[in-house]
Amino acid sequence: MSFKKDNTFFTGRLKSIVFAIKGAFKLATTEHSIMVQLSLGLLMTIAGIYFQITKEEWLVQTLAIGLVLSIEGLNTAVEKIADFIHPDYHERIGFIKDIAAGAVLFAAFTAIIIGGIIYTPYLF
């Protein structure tokens, strides 16, 4: 496989999209944390359909789901790089991985708050 940079606009962008789709597929099929987040996103989508949430609520909910999945993907990448660089436990690597996991926690809490704001009026 050649990693020669493609400088043409169209084919270069097309290759980038193909790599991104491959990456998303790898995340969705190999990483349990992403599988959990995708399942929760699907449940929230089903809830949105069931409760017939507004267009604005769909926009915010979609953004929250995308935020969590994106940050979870970046966290996974940080963990994979850290494990590749230093496979054994190392205090500094652990610190880096903890920070990346903390970013996921911030995104997840944000999504939970958004879900609460959207669905509380429909439930009570």
Side-chain angles (χ1 to χ4, degrees):
M1 178 176 200
S2 173
F3 289 106
K4 184 180 176 206
K5 185 171 173 130
D6 186 342
N7 290 320
T8 60
F9 180 79
F10 182 74
T11 58
R13 300 306 64 80
L14 189 60
K15 286 179 183 179
S16 294
I17 292 169
V18 170
F19 289 137
I21 290 169
K22 284 182 184 179
F25 183 77
K26 285 178 186 177
L27 270 171
T29 58
T30 63
E31 298 301 319
H32 290 103
S33 57
I34 291 288
M35 291 175 197
V36 168
Q37 301 297 353
L38 281 168
S39 298
L40 291 171
L42 179 62
L43 283 173
M44 296 311 294
T45 301
I46 292 168
I49 293 167
Y50 177 79
F51 289 110
Q52 298 178 348
I53 62 176
T54 68
K55 180 171 106 175
E56 292 79 12
E57 290 168 334
W58 274 116
L59 291 170
V60 176
Q61 176 172 295
T62 302
L63 185 61
I65 292 168
L67 172 72
V68 172
L69 290 171
S70 298
I71 300 297
E72 189 70 65
L74 290 173
N75 176 54
T76 300
V78 167
E79 289 182 354
K80 299 291 183 190
I81 291 169
D83 290 342
F84 179 76
I85 292 170
H86 204 293
D88 299 323
Y89 176 78
H90 189 279
E91 188 175 330
R92 287 170 138 177
I93 294 292
F95 181 79
I96 292 165
K97 291 167 81 172
D98 288 347
I99 289 171
V104 175
L105 187 64
F106 285 142
F109 280 163
T110 301
I112 290 167
I113 291 167
I114 289 169
I117 291 169
I118 291 172
Y119 290 102
T120 298
Y122 293 99
L123 295 172
F124 300 106

